[in-house]
Structure formats: structure tokens, C-alpha cells
């Protein structure tokens, strides 16, 4: 039997491009609702990191698919473990930014990771952030938010984000903007589940809006959709 929104705990999908604020917003919303937070981008990053570790080519679909299937991943809030190793910060380098975008274009990897993402909903409500959560992973999600911001603002947030190893004087804004644009292009034009807003998602433009204002707005949308906060 397929689960319906009446029989399973609420799923809140938060999608959008890099630097739109998905991570901070999704974590705060999950905390406010006392439910789990799942960062699906971290799963693509972890597979890319492990592929590099094992010397698997980013063009080798069969090996990458097999790796996605067997790799042991543990996501707990922001922290990410691969085969028992804490990779929380090493998967956020510029190198992994582009490796993850390549891995995310591989259909077999997507198929496996989408299946693994769906399995998270079996054990309770969650806030899941990504690029295709409202369109592919959970088309029946109870609430779908699409966070966006101007390209300039997304690049400047990324450049000053210490979690991406880009903080400090050497984070040239123009380099970050160029890399972000290339990744956006790759995410939006891939054949399999390209980044796109679901028809029934609510668009939240975060340009010029402070984080607490965005969190408030998202919680209002959740409350309107679910009737009451769970
Ligand atoms: O959100 P992020 O920057 O950590 O994502 C890393 C890469 O994975 C990025 O290129 C987009 C891709 N991704 C995806 O294709 N689908 C998702 N659900 C999440 C991320």
C-alpha cells in the first residue's frame, strides 16, 4: 500500500539553488517543529568524497551507483559520517562542490540516493532539503518550499560562509560567483531531476531578508498548510 499524507508523519520539502539559505532555514525549522533534518546535498557530497577516496572516476556510472548503494552514511543534524569517519567539514570544499555536482548528474546515483532519502520518512516526520525533494523524492510532501535569492546575494553568502571553507580574505567574490553559476547551470540542466520549482511549492525570495525573517515566514507557511504546528 502506498502511504498517503494521512497515514505518514509530515514531510516538509525545502528546495532551491546553492546559497539560498536552505541549510540554516531547514535546520531551524526542524528544530522548531521537533522533527529530523535531512540534508540530501550532504549525501551527494559524501558519495563524491568517498569516490575520490577510492579512486573511482566521476564518469564511471556502474561503480558510482554501486558505491551509493553500499556506502554507510550517518546524518545527524549538520554532522555527516561516512563509514564511521566524520566528514562534516571535508565535504564542503570547493573541490567537493564540483565533484558532488558531477556525481549528482549520474542517473544510477540519483536513483539509489532518492530511494535512501525516501526511507528516512518511514520513521517519522522530517524537514528534508535539496534540489528535487518536492518534485521527485516526495511529490506528496505536506509542505513544499522553494527558497531563492538573487545570484549576487547567494554568491556573497557563500563567500562569507565559513562552513564552506571560503571565509577570509582569499574568498574572492567573483571566483565564488563563477563557481556557483557553473554549479547552478549543472543542477538546472541535468537530464535526471533537474533543479526546478514544484508547481505546488511556495516560493520564498530571501533576497535582503535576514535569517530570522525567513524562518518566521517558512513556519507561517507550514502552519497554514498543516493547520497547526505538529
Ligand atoms: O546543497 P549542496 O550544495 O550541498 O548540494 C551538493 C550537490 O548535490 C549540488 O551540486 C546539488 C546536488 N544535489 C542534488 O542534485 N539533489 C539534491 N536533492 C541535493 C543536492
Amino acid at each position: 500500500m502506498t502511504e498517503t499524507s494521512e497515514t505518514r508523519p509530515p514531510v516538509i520539502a525545502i528546495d532551491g539553488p546553492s546559497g539560498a539559505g536552505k541549510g540554516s532555514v531547514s535546520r531551524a525549522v526542524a528544530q522548531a517543529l521537533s522533527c529530523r533534518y535531512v540534508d540530501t546535498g550532504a549525501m551527494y557530497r559524501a558519495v563524491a568524497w568517498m569516490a575520490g577516496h577510492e579512486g573511482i572516476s566521476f564518469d564511471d556510472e556502474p561503480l558510482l551507483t554501486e558505491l551509493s548503494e553500499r556506502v554507510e552514511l550517518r546524518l545527524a543534524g549538520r554532522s555527516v559520517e561516512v563509514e564511521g569517519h566524520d566528514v562534516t567539514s571535508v565535504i564542503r570544499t570547493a573541490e567537493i562542490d564540483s565533484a558532488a555536482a558531477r556525481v549528482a548528474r549520474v542517473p544510477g546515483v540519483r536513483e539509489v540516493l532518492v530511494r535512501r532519502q525516501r526511507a528516512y520518512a518511514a520513521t517519522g516526520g522530517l524537514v528534508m532539503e535539496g534540489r528535487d525533494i518536492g518534485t521527485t523524492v516526495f511529490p506528496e510532501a505536506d509542505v513544499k518550499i522553494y527558497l531563492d535569492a538573487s545570484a549576487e546575494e547567494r554568491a556573497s553568502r557563500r563567500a562569507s560562509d565559513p562552513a564552506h571553507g571560503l571565509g577570509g580574505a582569499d574568498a574572492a567574490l567573483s571566483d565564488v560567483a563563477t563557481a556557483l553559476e557553473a554549479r547552478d547551470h549543472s543542477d538546472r540542466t541535468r537530464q535526471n531531476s533537474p533543479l526546478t520549482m514544484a508547481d505546488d511549492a511556495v516560493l520564498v525570495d530571501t533576497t535582503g531578508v535576514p535569517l530570522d525573517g525567513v524562518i518566521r515566514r517558512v513556519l507561517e507557511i507550514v502552519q497554514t498548510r498543516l493547520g497547526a504546528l505538529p
Side-chain angles (χ1 to χ4, degrees):
M1 187 184 92
T2 18
E3 279 199 302
T4 66
S5 50
E6 278 82 47
T7 59
R8 61 158 165 69
V11 171
I12 296 165
I14 303 194
D15 288 304
S18 313
K22 297 186 303 290
S24 319
V25 172
S26 305
R27 280 192 298 276
V29 168
Q31 193 176 19
L33 303 178
S34 304
C35 58
R36 273 170 318 148
Y37 157 68
V38 180
D39 172 6
T40 60
M43 298 172 77
Y44 290 94
R45 287 174 181 276
V47 169
W49 181 84
M50 195 65 187
H53 187 68
E54 293 193 355
I56 297 174
S57 157
F58 296 128
D59 297 320
D60 191 333
E61 175 158 8
L63 275 188
L64 288 171
T65 305
E66 185 265 334
L67 171 65
S68 313
E69 193 85 66
R70 76 174 143 85
V71 71
E72 196 189 303
L73 297 176
R74 230 177 84 83
L75 304 178
R78 269 214 85 237
S79 104
V80 184
E81 274 182 23
V82 175
E83 310 280 339
H85 301 288
D86 184 348
V87 296
T88 311
S89 33
V90 295
I91 58 166
R92 311 234 166 241
T93 61
E95 198 187 338
I96 299 290
D97 281 355
S98 55
R102 285 185 69 183
V103 159
R105 295 179 76 89
V106 178
V109 171
R110 297 206 72 85
E111 204 178 294
V112 171
L113 292 189
V114 165
R115 195 177 344 114
R116 293 183 69 164
Q117 289 154 13
R118 287 184 181 142
Y120 282 107
T123 51
L126 49 91
V127 175
M128 186 172 275
E129 70 147 296
R131 301 290 192 292
D132 59 343
I133 312 306
T135 49
T136 303
V137 183
F138 291 116
E140 305 302 325
D142 304 85
V143 186
K144 298 183 188 180
I145 309 278
Y146 189 89
L147 285 188
D148 209 346
S150 70
E152 295 73 26
E153 184 149 336
R154 293 190 293 110
S156 97
R157 283 180 192 159
R158 258 307 132 95
S160 59
D161 181 358
H164 275 261
L166 296 167
D170 49 359
L173 185 56
S174 61
D175 292 350
V176 175
T178 308
L180 197 98
E181 218 171 281
R183 217 145 66 84
D184 277 357
H185 182 75
S186 174
D187 291 341
R188 288 183 212 275
T189 58
R190 62 170 176 245
Q191 250 180 353
N192 206 317
S193 296
L195 167 66
T196 171
M197 184 171 129
D199 290 342
D200 51 352
V202 181
L203 172 66
V204 176
D205 184 349
T206 71
T207 312
V209 185
L211 180 60
D212 57 350
V214 179
I215 295 166
R216 252 199 322 275
R217 174 78 191 110
V218 171
L219 286 172
E220 273 167 22
I221 296 166
V222 171
Q223 189 154 21
T224 307
R225 292 280 159 131
L226 298 181
L229 294 182

